[in-house]
Amino acid sequence: MDLKSQIILDKLPRHIAIIMDGNGRWAKQHGKPRVFGHRNGVKAVRETAEAAAELGIEYLTLYAFSTENWKRPKLEVNALMTLLVETIQNEIDTLNKNNIKLHAIGDVAKLPSKSLKALQGGIESTKNNQRLTLILALNYSAKWEILEATRQLARQAKAGLIQPDAIDDQIFSNTLSTKGIPDPELLIRTSGETRISNFLLWQIAYSELYFTPTLWPDFQKEHLYQAIIDFQHRERRFGKISEQLV
Ligand code: IPE
Ligand code: IPE
Ligand code: MG
């Protein structure tokens, strides 16, 4: 039986987040420079976004560049930034055709101006699309995001706009860059690494984690289906016991 038909459509996660990892190792396997891996990673992004949209997933967050990734060789960082511009420009029509809305989280103001412009252009031109929201985490760091929210709330408290004791889960969530977006029910990381690498720390408090050895450029629709099927077979107890779940 094919994988897609095993997915229970009324038990889909609303939001899937992916740590796209393994481009460098994939390139090495093919005897090519790392940048070749990143270029092929774009194909996996296309496949995954299309599969998610077809299924009816509402939000797909892809970790594309972490704050820590600036520490990579300059050549690779530059190549990634150029690839971002090219990809957004090349994909805008497809995004619009597939009714996908582009969004970004992270400290994007620190991206090179060309990359930022391309990103803003992509967001603007897809803003009325309604099927899937594709969120790119760019120059993203979960600790940075949490600190930013904390600083913002502290300023509000100092100005007397909010009582410190009134700060709760909801207020804090609404101060993060993912405001208005439900927390991901499923977090996928490719390439066999089993760490979070400073991604969505607050939002994944109760996410189901799925690790696969598949390297990101090899990730195809079927891999996403497999992850969703796995997710659908888990019992999400949220602190309760099995018998309490309806
Ligand atoms: C993920 O692949 C892409 C980015 C972090 C931008 P890597 O480039 O980390 O690939 P590996 O981990 O070196 O194989
Ligand atoms: C995490 O991958 C960041 C992205 C996928 C953008 P890395 O390859 O940078 O993570 P570490 O350094 O191995 O933890
Ligand atoms: Mg990596």
Side-chain angles (χ1 to χ4, degrees):
M1 192 161 71
D2 76 307
L3 283 174
K4 198 177 179 185
S5 61
Q6 292 176 42
I7 296 175
I8 308 158
L9 291 173
D10 60 8
K11 258 184 78 179
L12 281 175
R14 292 184 67 193
H15 183 179
I16 299 177
I18 306 183
I19 303 174
M20 310 182 285
D21 199 11
N23 294 353
R25 278 162 283 170
W26 187 90
K28 199 167 190 178
Q29 276 182 3
H30 290 76
K32 295 279 198 314
R34 294 181 57 85
V35 175
F36 183 73
H38 297 315
R39 292 204 161 271
N40 280 276
V42 174
K43 289 186 195 155
V45 170
R46 204 180 293 130
E47 278 266 321
T48 309
E50 221 178 84
E54 285 164 4
L55 282 172
I57 306 289
E58 292 172 68
Y59 301 92
L60 176 67
T61 300
L62 301 178
Y63 202 6
F65 193 87
S66 75
T67 303
E68 289 77 19
N69 288 145
W70 295 110
K71 294 181 217 156
R72 293 190 177 196
K74 205 168 180 317
L75 192 81
E76 182 170 345
V77 171
N78 290 342
L80 283 166
M81 291 302 151
T82 308
L83 190 59
L84 176 68
V85 177
E86 281 178 25
T87 306
I88 293 177
Q89 284 164 351
N90 293 339
E91 299 297 323
I92 285 185
D93 288 348
T94 314
L95 290 175
N96 280 324
K97 199 177 80 210
N98 289 329
N99 202 6
I100 299 174
K101 186 201 275 195
L102 189 65
H103 185 66
I105 54 170
D107 195 1
V108 294
K110 294 206 178 74
L111 294 176
S113 63
K114 262 193 181 170
S115 310
L116 181 58
K117 277 210 187 90
L119 179 67
Q120 287 168 336
I123 292 171
E124 176 61 29
S125 103
T126 60
K127 69 175 183 206
N128 295 320
N129 294 343
Q130 285 171 344
R131 196 152 67 134
L132 167 78
T133 301
L134 174 63
I135 304 156
L136 297 181
L138 285 163
N139 191 20
Y140 179 85
S141 147
K143 284 194 171 181
W144 166 82
E145 182 187 39
I146 290 169
L147 284 171
E148 275 293 298
T150 308
R151 285 189 278 258
Q152 197 179 319
L153 291 169
R155 279 192 294 269
Q156 288 178 18
K158 197 175 172 203
L161 299 168
I162 191 169
Q163 288 300 318
D165 290 335
I167 299 171
D168 58 11
D169 187 327
Q170 200 190 343
I171 288 177
F172 199 83
S173 291
N174 285 336
T175 316
L176 295 170
S177 62
T178 46
K179 173 182 184 335
I181 300 168
D183 289 341
E185 295 93 330
L186 172 60
L187 172 72
I188 300 171
R189 183 170 189 150
T190 60
S191 89
E193 307 296 352
T194 46
R195 56 178 169 265
I196 301 300
S197 303
N198 206 2
F199 192 41
L200 302 176
L201 294 177
W202 171 275
Q203 298 87 340
I204 62 166
Y206 247 114
S207 302
E208 295 297 330
L209 309 181
Y210 179 86
F211 299 103
T212 167
T214 304
L215 301 175
W216 179 249
D218 289 328
F219 198 87
Q220 294 184 336
K221 290 186 178 181
E222 281 67 29
H223 296 94
L224 183 74
Y225 300 155
Q226 189 64 67
I228 294 172
I229 292 164
D230 188 287
F231 164 83
Q232 292 185 329
H233 284 95
R234 299 188 191 185
E235 186 175 65
R236 305 191 75 205
R237 290 189 289 277
F238 299 101
K240 298 180 184 171
I241 64 167
S242 269
E243 288 71 17
Q244 290 175 296
L245 304 171
V246 278

